[in-house]
Amino acid sequence: MNNNNRGDVKNLSLLGIDDLSQENLHFLLKTAAFFKKEFYKEGRIIHCINHEQTRGLVVQLLFAEPSTRTRASFEVACGKLGIAATSLWNLHFSSMAKGETLEDTLQCLIALKPNIIVLRCGEFKGAESFLRSSPVPVINAGLGAKEHPTQALVDAFTIQEKRGKVEGEKVLIVGDVLHSRVANSNLKLLTRLGAKLGMCTPEELSPVDKQAWKDVVRFESLETGIKWADVIMCLRVQRERHSLRNIGFSMAEYRDKYRIGQEEMEIFRSDGVLLHPGPAVRGVEIANQALNDPRCHIVNQVENGSHVRSAIITLMLNLEIKSQ
Ligand code: CP
């Protein structure tokens, strides 16, 4: 592995894909592949890292919204690098249960001076400027419906791994684009890496920012979209974010028009790749037959989460990588 050509992280924190330069992106995809290869060879990646650099480093996680994959994979990624990870996630047992605000909770964690804060939370007023002013680098692990940059990096890595490249790949995003931070980050990242994007979404769940999505091909019919696509990326229907909206259709109607099942897999290309950032709602977004199909790489996405996040931490902390 070449330690040069990684580029500095443009801003101190990783809040969105725009914080990463092209050099950063290529470094992250290459480093994640290197870590995965070494992990398969040696069962660990600690030998790839200079222990003197990581000794005593601490990553602090704060998860104010539910998570399985992102939180666990950050903890595993830190462990594999020999970095301590400490998590605040059961907020009923934090001082937020006593009325402390999220901002004040974050100020407490900043005062403890961990080396990185990994944050998942809903949107809050002034979030961007508040987080940008943190002297401790913050990694966005899912901020409301805004962005989820580390998930998009996992998705791009998985597409590259399974399809051999991202450039020129036709990626069909299916489902609740309106509420999806994953879709917003993938729009930026996959476009920058040269993929072509399509979307198939109910009008009620299509993005509000038409300008940002103007170059994305819109498919009214799922069948036409699937015949066009090399990669299908299903999204979760984010019912917890629908509460203030009258969505205008039932889950049964959604399932009938947008679920990926046996019939959809039959018309999908034989070497296509089916992805879902998870958690997938079985039977609504995706049927068991599709989950069991060899073209479904959702489990690989989860596995790749730890390698990609180890690479992200390596970049953010400017850790040296040892080839041997
Ligand atoms: N993809 C994703 O963010 O999953 P979790 O909510 O389980 O972390």
Side-chain angles (χ1 to χ4, degrees):
M1 272 296 299
N2 189 344
N3 278 293
N4 302 322
N5 307 328
R6 59 172 68 186
D8 295 327
V9 178
K10 275 195 278 179
N11 301 307
L12 181 66
S13 291
L14 171 52
L15 301 186
I17 291 298
D18 290 345
D19 288 318
L20 298 168
S21 66
Q22 247 6 52
E23 272 182 330
N24 296 154
L25 291 181
H26 290 297
F27 170 81
L28 289 173
L29 296 175
K30 232 167 57 183
T31 304
F34 174 68
F35 283 158
K36 185 166 184 178
K37 181 171 71 81
E38 288 297 312
F39 188 78
Y40 271 75
K41 217 162 63 182
E42 306 286 341
R44 47 172 60 202
I45 59 167
I46 195 78
H47 59 284
C48 306
I49 291 296
N50 177 352
H51 306 191
E52 286 310 311
Q53 270 192 316
T54 55
R55 200 199 305 265
L57 299 187
V58 180
V59 170
Q60 171 70 57
L61 286 80
L62 170 56
F63 275 62
E65 282 192 346
S67 167
T68 297
R69 290 150 199 77
T70 313
R71 185 164 70 87
S73 63
F74 265 112
E75 289 176 357
V76 169
C78 290
K80 284 178 176 168
L81 294 170
I83 296 173
T86 171
S87 276
L88 188 59
W89 60 273
N90 187 346
L91 301 180
H92 298 297
F93 285 91
S94 79
S95 288
M96 284 178 74
K98 295 184 274 187
E100 192 160 56
T101 64
L102 180 69
E103 291 92 320
D104 286 341
T105 305
L106 274 163
Q107 289 292 13
C108 281
L109 300 182
I110 290 167
L112 295 171
K113 299 195 173 23
N115 299 91
I116 291 179
I117 291 175
V118 176
L119 173 67
R120 169 168 293 189
C121 62
E123 281 167 54
F124 60 95
K125 199 161 173 267
E128 169 96 19
S129 59
F130 179 85
L131 297 174
R132 290 264 175 239
S133 69
S134 165
V136 175
V138 178
I139 298 177
N140 170 5
L143 176 61
K146 282 202 173 304
E147 276 215 47
H148 193 349
T150 69
Q151 178 64 48
L153 287 160
V154 171
D155 300 342
F157 177 76
T158 309
I159 292 170
Q160 179 159 293
E161 181 182 57
K162 299 299 170 194
R163 294 276 311 157
K165 61 184 177 45
V166 178
E167 190 169 4
E169 291 298 293
K170 289 183 260 175
V171 181
L172 179 72
I173 302 178
V174 180
D176 188 355
V177 176
L178 176 64
H179 299 101
S180 179
R181 51 199 179 200
V182 175
N184 288 336
S185 286
N186 266 314
L187 171 67
K188 292 180 182 174
L189 178 61
L190 295 179
T191 303
R192 273 178 61 184
L193 294 174
K196 298 186 186 106
L197 295 193
M199 68 172 155
C200 184
T201 173
E203 187 52 40
E204 297 87 339
L205 298 180
S206 65
V208 173
D209 188 350
K210 304 285 179 222
Q211 182 60 23
W213 288 81
K214 70 178 184 349
D215 295 329
V216 176
V217 189
R218 179 91 193 250
F219 292 96
E220 294 306 324
S221 122
L222 185 57
E223 184 182 336
T224 317
I226 289 173
K227 286 180 177 163
W228 169 86
D230 303 312
V231 175
I232 302 172
M233 183 182 289
C234 289
L235 298 175
R236 185 171 67 84
V237 181
Q238 307 217 359
R239 279 189 272 190
E240 74 277 20
R241 299 193 206 280
H242 294 184
S243 53
L244 296 177
R245 294 173 195 270
N246 178 10
I247 290 301
F249 56 82
S250 67
M251 282 304 112
E253 286 168 317
Y254 179 90
R255 183 194 60 210
D256 290 347
K257 277 189 83 173
Y258 299 99
R259 183 181 65 177
I260 305 294
Q262 182 71 35
E263 281 176 29
E264 288 69 30
M265 293 310 283
E266 277 167 16
I267 57 168
F268 189 33
R269 58 183 298 158
S270 58
D271 58 354
V273 166
L274 173 63
L275 301 177
H276 190 310
V281 182
R282 280 178 190 259
V284 174
E285 298 138 16
I286 193 158
N288 285 339
Q289 293 94 327
L291 284 163
N292 295 331
D293 190 286
R295 290 164 289 176
C296 174
H297 293 289
I298 296 175
V299 176
N300 297 100
Q301 273 177 290
V302 177
E303 178 189 353
N304 290 340
S306 89
H307 303 299
V308 169
R309 290 179 174 110
S310 290
I312 292 167
I313 291 163
T314 300
L315 175 71
M316 301 287 291
L317 295 176
N318 200 20
L319 303 177
E320 180 195 334
I321 299 175
K322 296 199 285 188
S323 297
Q324 204 43 49

